[in-house]
Amino acid sequence: MRNCVLEILHRLPVNPPEPFEPYAEEVVDLLMNLVKTDNEENAALCVKTIMDIMRHQTKVLQDKVQPFLTLIQELFDQMESVVRDQLDNTAGGIPSTPGSSQTYQNSPRPGSPVASVSDLGADPQQQTRLC
């Protein structure tokens, strides 16, 4: 549901800037908090929306530029540990090369009647956070 609301917010026209100006600062604050707490997909959408709003609301959001850049810097600083965690979580049993010691001839394909829901991996709604 939140992703749908963020998609709508992202598609709202912010140009001309006057009608949106009274709400710009509050919306950017909310989106910056969501970047820190929400999943990766929603956080990326929030960053795109913040950039669009800042592009058109330069007068109102002058004080928000540096906190936004600091947030982006924090995301990049944490990227190495996030990638390492993701690789560590998926490395348990997947061979790195096709000819390795493990074979998957008898393994069910995802979505086949033999595969259970737990075999298909994590729920797509439970994605990782960026921060």
Side-chain angles (χ1 to χ4, degrees):
M1 177 77 156
R2 185 179 298 150
N3 186 270
C4 291
V5 172
L6 291 172
E7 284 284 348
I8 291 169
L9 185 62
H10 180 67
R11 294 167 195 236
L12 282 177
V14 290
N15 197 16
E18 292 80 22
F20 189 73
E21 193 170 297
Y23 311 103
E25 190 170 352
E26 185 178 355
V27 169
V28 167
D29 286 340
L30 175 68
L31 292 173
M32 287 177 62
N33 286 330
L34 285 176
V35 168
K36 296 174 187 176
T37 59
D38 215 334
N39 66 37
E40 184 178 349
E41 180 182 357
N42 289 348
L45 186 56
C46 289
V47 169
K48 291 177 189 178
T49 306
I50 292 169
M51 290 187 309
D52 287 344
I53 294 171
M54 286 187 166
R55 186 178 305 125
H56 297 289
Q57 301 290 333
T58 55
K59 293 185 296 186
V60 178
L61 297 176
Q62 288 177 359
D63 297 337
K64 299 292 180 185
V65 173
Q66 189 57 50
F68 177 66
L69 293 175
T70 302
L71 176 64
I72 298 300
Q73 182 64 45
E74 289 173 11
L75 293 176
F76 278 108
D77 289 344
Q78 295 175 2
M79 192 60 61
E80 183 179 344
S81 65
V82 171
V83 169
R84 188 177 309 116
D85 290 344
Q86 289 300 312
L87 291 176
D88 288 345
N89 288 339
T90 60
I94 299 174
S96 59
T97 58
S100 72
S101 62
Q102 296 178 347
T103 59
Y104 291 97
Q105 293 175 354
N106 298 327
S107 296
R109 287 182 239 160
S112 69
V114 180
S116 69
V117 174
S118 62
D119 293 337
L120 299 177
D123 183 11
Q125 294 297 321
Q126 296 178 353
Q127 297 173 349
T128 59
R129 293 188 324 199
L130 292 178
C131 292

